Amino acid sequence: MSADAMRIAVFAGDGIGPEVTAEAVRVLQALDLPGLELVEGDVGGAAYRKHGHPLPPETLEIARSCGAILFGAVGDFSLDHLERRLRPEQAVLGLRKELGLFANLRPATVFKGLEDLTTLRPEVAAKIDLLIVRELNGDVYFGEKGTRTLDDGRRQGWDMMSYAEDEVRRIAHTGFKAAMGRSKKLCSVDKANVLETSQLWRDVVIEVAREYPEVELSHMYVDNAAMQLVKNPGQFDVIVTGNLFGDILSDQASMCVGSIGLLASASLAEGTYGLYEPIHGSAPDIAGQGLANPMATILSAAMLLRHSFGLEDQAARIEAAVGKALAQGVRGGDLGGTDGTRAIGDAVLAAL
Ligand code: IPM
Ligand code: MG
């Protein structure tokens, strides 16, 4: 890649992925970024149908030749009967592992004027401004797993949960650094009262904390964290947690905000490389109808410009445009409105 090239992989995937990604691409193209090159690749069920694999080698090659990935969504119920390694979800799990995308940043913030969308009391939700830093390369997700038949004939499914100290250390650093850039509060979420994996997690986080004396570190068990997220979400700033707990808590946090169609995320490797995707899934029920809200994907493109290419101004410009469209009353179906995918894209482009 030459110094001025800005090569971005665009993996639209399944369901509403292609529709929402198309709008984010229009926004990127409207910015007149020097050297911008967009390279499309197949992932998920779409890739399985075409190449017999959810993450074919040619897709990985495209990913490796780019500086970042803009990702739509994967998931297709009609392929759930396939053996696990061929299911659409393996595309995102494979990319995370193959590209070392170990740090998942999932911000959840209530947009001004949208406080009523939450299922919490609006005055409780209005205080939400948090960031979940989720580890993505380890935990029970990537441990050995299988099914076996016990001596007495019962079938048993098993998945091995583990974290090595270096894996905890690097995500802890991501959490502390994120906290330094925000209000210097970090809450580490684990289940150290029951799990050895979590006890080691907690011990290592405490060790890393010595390097960040300015950050106020707290620990919370995951069950309590789930409760506190709906009771008083305003108490959290940065949460750092493992793969499984982060998966669950980040969905919960998004729903506390009430606007899953607005939340973007980044999955980062060491350095500047990253994959950026909306936190919503492939939504097969509304796919292909032009109903999906592309704002979360457009905001993911903003995160991409900021983290992978250092283009803070352009990122802020996109975010401001989305904010302006919302302030003008543009609303997708997820926000109780009737604006379609294209119309929302048009509104953001007009606001740019
Ligand atoms: C997510 C998703 C994935 C995960 C699935 C699609 C494998 O739920 O990104 O949160 O569990 O990590
Ligand atoms: Mg999830």
Side-chain angles (χ1 to χ4, degrees), residues 110-123 125-126 257:
V110 174
F111 285 72
K112 246 182 120 69
L114 297 183
E115 295 84 357
D116 285 344
L117 294 171
T118 170
T119 46
L120 301 179
R121 286 206 309 277
E123 71 272 20
V257 170

Side-chain angles (χ1 to χ4, degrees), residues 183-307:
S183 68
K184 301 199 168 87
K185 273 173 60 184
L186 179 66
C187 179
S188 171
V189 170
D190 63 35
K191 187 70 184 170
N193 51 345
V194 178
L195 303 173
E196 287 304 319
T197 312
S198 280
Q199 187 59 55
L200 181 89
W201 173 282
R202 188 175 287 216
D203 294 347
V204 173
V205 170
I206 289 170
E207 286 163 25
V208 174
R210 293 190 204 118
E211 296 174 48
Y212 301 89
E214 285 172 64
V215 176
E216 183 194 318
L217 172 67
S218 60
H219 304 273
M220 201 179 274
Y221 297 138
V222 64
D223 50 348
N224 186 26
M227 189 174 78
Q228 295 298 330
L229 260 179
V230 287
K231 186 178 174 206
N232 175 19
Q235 72 185 285
F236 295 108
D237 185 40
V238 181
I239 291 175
V240 66
T241 190
N243 207 344
L244 181 63
F245 300 155
D247 178 44
I248 299 165
L249 292 181
S250 60
D251 264 26
Q252 193 187 346
S254 72
M255 219 41 237
C256 291
V257 170
S259 48
I260 195 162
L262 293 180
L263 299 182
S265 76
S267 302
L268 306 176
E270 223 88 62
T272 60
Y273 197 91
L275 176 152
Y276 303 81
E277 61 177 325
I279 69 153
H280 60 68
S282 57
D285 52 322
I286 57 164
Q289 300 169 47
L291 297 175
N293 183 353
M295 282 176 167
T297 315
I298 294 171
L299 291 169
S300 298
M303 282 183 107
L304 179 155
L305 295 181
R306 173 177 293 122
H307 287 285

Side-chain angles (χ1 to χ4, degrees), residues 74 89 92-93 96 104 106 134 136 141 243 247 250-251 277:
V74 290
E89 290 76 12
V92 68
L93 296 175
R96 287 173 186 169
N104 190 203
R106 297 193 164 179
R134 168 190 175 196
L136 274 189
Y141 267 62
N243 207 344
D247 178 44
S250 60
D251 264 26
E277 61 177 325

Side-chain angles (χ1 to χ4, degrees), residues 131-153:
L131 172 68
I132 296 185
V133 177
R134 168 190 175 196
E135 202 288 331
L136 274 189
N137 274 188
D139 203 351
V140 70
Y141 267 62
F142 291 102
E144 272 185 62
K145 57 184 77 222
T147 49
R148 59 191 166 204
T149 306
L150 301 174
D151 290 344
D152 62 7

Side-chain angles (χ1 to χ4, degrees), residues 312-337:
E312 173 59 36
D313 290 356
Q314 304 286 16
R317 212 177 134 197
I318 294 177
E319 287 161 353
V322 171
K324 193 167 165 197
L326 286 170
Q328 287 163 352
V330 174
R331 297 281 186 277
D334 58 313
L335 306 181

Side-chain angles (χ1 to χ4, degrees), residues 86-101:
L86 294 177
R87 291 193 203 161
E89 290 76 12
Q90 294 302 314
V92 68
L93 296 175
L95 285 167
R96 287 173 186 169
K97 201 66 182 176
E98 290 292 328
L99 303 169
L101 306 170

